[in-house]
């Protein structure tokens, strides 16, 4: 009997891997209201919150099915890197390498350094940096950008899987280099950079009038020498690269051709401080409106906290990891932003109608509204340039299943 039960549980687990159907109905009253300060407990809270989001999504999918559209049968389910098989991991990195080998679509008169389809995405992000961070479009822009990259991998490079995400809480618990994502094996996203001597801390300038934020360096700093991306060339940037010692460098506007190795400086201290399970749970549970949510996530300038978004970026370190503009040239960017999107998805589904509609948008079209610009609305258009098309309204990007998108998360 015991054996039969465990076989049944295995079968259920296999099914739930394909379709995220929670086994027991979770009512909103069961959900935590405050993040646990104990990391492992906060991790359990996050699992429960994600399950609630999946449950709510599935209810929508069941309704959609009657109308024909995104349903339980065609929804794609994004999973954590460690949940992929070795074969699936390799298929993903092969597709990224393929995108890096395909010619760019961006005319060289616009972005001379864009040599590949991968670079089309990097160049688009560099061009729009000041209009997509600390703006009303931060969440929707990066959702569309990550989805478009996933589609390019699938449609242009024969990838049949989904975009994996990077659960920072796991890295915080076990250490970055101990994850299957960063252990440097052939089935990883490559590992740390070579350990080079660092000449001081990283200083983030932040906004004028605010004190600089000091971040420690990590255990690498040099070129990545193992795994699928050991021969990768970063073609664009730097455009605003923070270096150890407190300086920032740029190669003009960052759009010129400047091939160099991918550098990483994996920094456990940063992932543990800013992106641990408690920090993630706090980001989901504390903010009651989207202004608060996206500020907490990106870090309130002057607060000394870079948020879970900054935590992931600066824990990668290196070049382009510490360059806000050029960061999508780091292949980890898309796993990081899938997790950002997942956290937003969980937060949205705690109050779906409010948080996927007009009330779920706050901000303008410029970085901290500087210079002042119009408020972002459901009608604001997001254009990914030559990276992907077509331009979409924010309205279409607010849900992962109700608009043109059809994906969910485990
Ligand atoms: Cu960005």
């Amino acid at each position: 009997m015991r054996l039969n039960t465990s076989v049944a549980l295995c079968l259920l687990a296999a099914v739930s891997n394909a379709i995220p159907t929670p086994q027991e109905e979770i009512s909103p009253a069961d959900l935590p209201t405050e993040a646990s300060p104990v990391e492992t407990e906060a991790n359990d809270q996050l699992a429960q919150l994600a399950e609630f989001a999946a449950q709510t999504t599935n209810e929508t999918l069941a309704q959609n099915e009657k109308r024909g559209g995104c349903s339980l049968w065609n929804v794609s389910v994004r999973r954590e890197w460690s949940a992929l098989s070795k074969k699936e991991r390799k298929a993903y990195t092969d597709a990224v390498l393929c995108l890096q080998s395909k010619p760019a679509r961006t005319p060289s008169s616009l972005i001379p350094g864009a040599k590949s389809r991968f670079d089309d995405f990097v160049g688009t992000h560099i061009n729009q940096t000041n209009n997509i961070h600390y703006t009303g479009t931060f969440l929707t822009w990066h959702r569309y950008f990550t989805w478009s990259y996933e589609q390019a991998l699938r449609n242009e490079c024969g990838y049949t899987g989904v975009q994996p995400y990077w659960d920072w809480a796991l890295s915080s618990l076990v250490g970055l280099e101990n994850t299957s994502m960063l252990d440097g094996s052939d089935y990883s996203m490559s590992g740390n950079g070579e350990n080079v001597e660092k000449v001081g801390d990283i200083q983030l300038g932040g906004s004028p009038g605010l004190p600089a934020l000091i971040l420690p360096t990590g255990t690498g700093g040099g070129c990545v020498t193992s795994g699928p991306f050991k021969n990768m060339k970063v073609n664009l940037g730097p455009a605003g690269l923070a270096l150890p010692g407190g300086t920032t460098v740029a190669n003009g506007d960052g759009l010129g051709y400047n091939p160099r190795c991918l550098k990483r400086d994996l920094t456990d201290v940063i992932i543990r401080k800013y992106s641990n399970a408690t920090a993630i749970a706090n980001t989901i549970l504390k903010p009651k409106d989207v202004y608060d949510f996206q500020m907490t996530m990106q870090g309130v300038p002057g607060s000394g906290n870079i948020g879970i978004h900054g935590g992931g970026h600066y824990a990668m370190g290196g070049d382009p990891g510490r360059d806000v503009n050029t960061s999508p040239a780091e292949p980890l960017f898309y796993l990081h932003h899938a997790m950002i999107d997942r956290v937003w998805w969980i937060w949205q589904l705690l109050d779906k109608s409010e948080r996927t509609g007009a009330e779920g948008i706050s901000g303008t079209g410029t970085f901290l509204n500087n210079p002042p610009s119009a408020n972002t609305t459901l009608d604001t258009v997001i254009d990914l340039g030559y990276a992907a098309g077509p331009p979409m309204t924010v309205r279409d990007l607010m849900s992962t299943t109700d608009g043109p998108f059809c994906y969910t998360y485990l």
Side-chain angles (χ1 to χ4, degrees), residues 31 41 68 87 91 173-174 208 218 241 259 271-272 324 328 335 375 408:
L31 295 173
E41 285 175 13
K87 203 174 153 197
L173 283 168
V174 304
L241 178 66
I271 206 79
R272 288 193 175 127
V324 179
L335 282 83
N375 281 333
T408 183

Side-chain angles (χ1 to χ4, degrees), residues 59-278:
E59 285 163 13
T60 310
L61 292 175
Q63 286 162 14
N64 283 358
E65 203 175 326
K66 292 173 204 135
R67 298 195 293 266
C70 185
S71 73
L72 286 170
W73 302 106
N74 60 10
V75 70
S76 67
V77 183
R78 293 183 178 174
R79 288 178 293 153
E80 216 278 329
W81 179 267
S82 61
L84 306 186
S85 68
K86 280 188 172 177
K87 203 174 153 197
E88 289 171 323
R89 291 176 197 161
K90 182 81 166 33
Y92 180 77
T93 55
D94 279 351
V96 174
L97 291 171
C98 158
L99 212 59
Q100 293 178 346
S101 73
K102 299 249 174 193
R105 288 183 187 163
T106 313
S108 58
S109 55
L110 291 180
I111 305 181
K115 300 295 178 194
S116 71
R117 280 293 289 133
F118 182 85
D119 291 344
D120 287 336
F121 287 84
V122 185
T124 295
H125 189 272
I126 293 176
N127 266 335
Q128 299 190 35
T129 294
N130 289 325
N131 306 106
I132 56 173
H133 303 105
Y134 290 102
T135 60
T137 53
F138 170 70
L139 293 163
T140 41
W141 194 95
H142 288 84
R143 171 172 282 175
Y144 188 27
F145 190 68
T146 303
W147 180 85
S148 300
Y149 180 81
E150 178 188 39
Q151 298 310 303
L153 296 176
R154 290 176 60 88
N155 301 332
E156 299 172 46
C157 283
Y159 179 56
T160 56
V162 297
Q163 175 61 47
Y165 64 86
W166 165 22
D167 181 5
W168 319 298
L170 177 67
S171 294
S172 174
L173 283 168
V174 304
L176 291 156
E177 286 182 78
N178 296 322
T179 63
S180 56
M181 188 181 81
L182 288 166
D183 65 10
S185 79
D186 290 347
Y187 304 98
S188 70
M189 288 292 293
S190 283
N192 204 356
E194 267 190 307
N195 189 4
V196 298
E197 204 189 321
K198 267 75 73 179
V199 292
D201 291 326
I202 301 293
Q203 286 186 32
L204 301 184
S207 299
L210 295 174
L213 203 142
I214 309 293
L215 296 174
T217 53
T219 49
C223 299
V224 163
T225 57
S226 62
F229 301 111
K230 64 178 178 218
N231 297 318
M232 179 190 154
K233 286 282 171 280
V234 176
N235 292 331
L236 291 159
L241 178 66
L243 291 177
T247 53
T248 299
V249 289
N251 177 38
D253 58 10
L255 299 176
Y257 184 48
N258 182 25
R260 59 202 187 281
C261 72
L262 171 67
K263 289 183 179 169
R264 278 188 191 148
D265 190 17
L266 299 183
T267 314
D268 279 337
V269 188
I270 293 182
I271 206 79
R272 288 193 175 127
K273 180 166 181 187
Y274 300 107
S275 309
N276 61 59
T278 301

Side-chain angles (χ1 to χ4, degrees), residues 357-400:
E359 291 294 314
I361 309 167
S362 168
T364 71
T366 40
F367 192 102
L368 294 171
N369 197 32
N370 185 21
S373 60
N375 281 333
T376 302
T377 69
L378 288 171
D379 295 315
T380 299
V381 173
I382 289 187
D383 187 346
L384 300 182
Y386 285 90
M392 296 251 245
T393 61
V394 163
R395 178 180 288 102
D396 283 336
L397 308 171
M398 292 299 287
S399 163
T400 68

Side-chain angles (χ1 to χ4, degrees), residues 339-352:
M339 181 65 180
I340 290 287
D341 188 61
R342 178 173 179 262
V343 170
W344 181 32
W345 169 78
I346 295 172
W347 185 81
Q348 282 189 302
L349 290 168
L350 288 174
D351 188 354
K352 191 183 169 194

